Amino acid sequence: MVNEILARLQALPDILAATPILAIGLTLGAFFAGNWLFSRVGRPLWLPPVVLSALLLAGVIAFLAVDYQSYQQGARWLSVLLGPATVALGIPLYQQMHHIRAMWRPIVVTLPIAATMAAVYAVVIGWALGATPEVLASLAPKSVTAPIAIGITEQLGGSVPLMMGGLLITGVVATLFVDLLARLLPVKDERILGFALGLNGHAVGTARAFEISHTAGAFASLGMGLTGVFTALILPLVFRL
Amino acid sequence: MSMLRGFLVLVLFFILGESMRVLFALPVSGGVLGMVVITFTLMVKGNVSDELASASQGLISVLVLLIMPGVVGVFFTADQFSGQWLAVATALLVGTFLSVLTTLLLMQLVTARGDGDGE
């Protein structure tokens, strides 16, 4: 009797994993648990909540012995919303657009060069150290906000999980480097610091910019949005060559 | 209800973007095309409705949830890239340092030169 139930218990994760609801439940649970843990450990900048959530989720998937592929199948019900969510980024971008008028010259000059170099530095260094084309395609959109970067990587033929890992590391180290270089150079203009945070460090950098000031946050949002659009439009064309 | 109406607008612009991508064989994702089109539409229109603003805010606030299935994959596909970790780590660390430096120097240079412009 007990043995039978134990045997059924062992089969349970696979049966539940046959529908998308287990994947959705696990992802939602890890999302809230990660956010809770994040506030409990004092909201450290170097450890964004998404990393905590992902670690918890990976642990649970491994522990339940749910097949990762079947998790991905179910989680597609969530990922499909990334399309409309990417479109949604256009609304804050429109709302921040008036900041361009205050600083249009530095933005117009810096954005194309800096956004291009953010990809070029990583690809050239990776290539020189012998990374495969798939890895290079996963590194190229490292400074772009995640929903846009997923679209870019799929277009370039890279690996989405690898790109996501690189993206998060980039966000964290970009935030640290902006703080460091702001002191060394020195740069005091909050608009410049915010723009650099958003351009190089996407959402992680933008979160840091909002801690500096509202102005820095607004310029970070603008830098993140413009970098996303610019990189998404240019990178696939460059990669074809 | 009103938030759903805003969501419908986002879905329609995404479908428009996807259609543009397929019809013109563009190498850019449908989401980005939809985002560019909706931004320009709002700039021409000059304002954004509350419905659309609240729907977009709602979706953006759960972005982390939507990208998590992709992020978690890094733990399960790690073996695939063994032997390339040095290249990946160096590219990320050194590349990001250089690009932050480039951004700050360029911005400072151009701002200093055009000081007083449009302020």
Side-chain angles (χ1 to χ4, degrees):
Chain A
M1 181 65 186
V2 177
N3 282 341
E4 273 173 38
I5 291 179
L6 276 178
R8 286 184 206 137
L9 185 66
Q10 249 174 356
L12 188 63
D14 283 330
I15 292 167
L16 287 177
T19 78
I21 205 69
L22 181 68
I24 293 172
L26 286 179
T27 315
L28 262 173
F31 171 68
F32 284 112
N35 278 327
W36 175 79
L37 206 61
F38 179 65
S39 56
R40 279 306 295 265
V41 294
R43 309 185 156 270
L45 269 177
W46 50 271
L47 191 62
V50 57
V51 176
L52 289 168
S53 301
L55 278 169
L56 288 171
L57 184 56
V60 173
I61 292 175
F63 177 75
L64 286 181
V66 176
D67 179 34
Y68 172 67
Q69 298 300 333
S70 71
Y71 166 76
Q72 275 300 0
Q73 286 284 332
R76 232 181 255 167
W77 287 78
L78 288 172
S79 313
V80 77
L81 286 173
L82 268 176
T86 310
V87 178
L89 292 174
I91 282 86
L93 182 61
Y94 159 75
Q95 288 166 333
Q96 302 300 338
M97 213 53 118
H98 64 274
H99 288 294
I100 290 186
R101 238 164 290 153
M103 251 192 137
W104 68 271
R105 197 199 303 258
I107 290 176
V108 167
V109 173
T110 308
L111 179 84
I113 303 174
T116 307
M117 290 318 283
V120 168
Y121 287 135
V123 170
V124 168
I125 293 170
W127 174 78
L129 292 175
T132 59
E134 189 194 4
V135 170
L136 294 181
S138 315
L139 288 176
K142 74 183 181 60
S143 283
V144 177
T145 184
I148 299 181
I150 291 176
I152 298 177
T153 304
E154 281 169 353
Q155 293 292 334
L156 298 182
S159 148
V160 171
L162 179 64
M163 179 278 290
M164 285 299 220
L167 196 82
L168 288 172
I169 293 171
T170 301
V172 173
V173 297
T175 306
L176 299 175
F177 287 150
V178 170
D179 283 356
L180 178 75
L181 288 170
R183 254 176 290 140
L184 290 181
L185 287 174
V187 181
K188 291 203 176 69
D189 193 330
E190 287 177 355
R191 299 168 305 176
I192 296 181
L193 294 178
F195 197 72
L197 281 166
L199 193 154
N200 293 292
H202 51 90
V204 181
T206 303
R208 163 71 187 135
F210 271 109
E211 287 192 348
I212 299 176
S213 72
H214 191 77
T215 312
F219 274 89
S221 311
L222 186 66
M224 176 175 79
L226 292 175
T227 303
V229 173
F230 179 83
T231 312
L233 297 178
I234 296 299
L235 212 49
L237 297 174
V238 175
F239 245 74
R240 273 189 179 177
L241 302 177
Chain B
M1 266 306 266
S2 71
M3 198 166 152
L4 273 182
R5 209 173 296 160
F7 184 65
L8 175 63
V9 176
L10 295 174
V11 170
L12 288 176
F13 271 93
F14 175 66
I15 293 173
L16 177 70
E18 270 298 293
S19 312
M20 284 167 65
R21 182 181 70 82
V22 174
L23 288 179
F24 305 111
L26 298 171
V28 181
S29 76
V32 171
L33 291 171
M35 174 193 174
V36 171
V37 176
I38 205 169
T39 309
F40 276 109
T41 309
L42 291 173
M43 282 166 76
V44 170
K45 201 168 150 256
N47 68 329
V48 52
S49 72
D50 291 345
E51 297 165 355
L52 186 56
S54 70
S56 83
Q57 222 162 31
L59 263 184
I60 292 171
S61 66
V62 296
L63 261 180
V64 165
L65 180 70
L66 305 183
I67 64 170
M68 258 172 50
V71 176
V72 81
V74 80
F75 299 109
F76 296 93
T77 48
D79 314 343
Q80 222 177 305
F81 305 104
S82 57
Q84 304 203 46
W85 291 115
L86 179 70
V88 171
T90 314
L92 289 176
L93 293 179
V94 180
T96 304
F97 180 82
L98 290 175
S99 77
V100 169
L101 188 65
T102 309
T103 315
L104 288 175
L105 288 179
L106 259 177
M107 281 293 268
Q108 221 178 12
L109 190 76
V110 187
T111 315
R113 196 172 283 175
D115 231 5
D117 275 22
E119 294 286 312

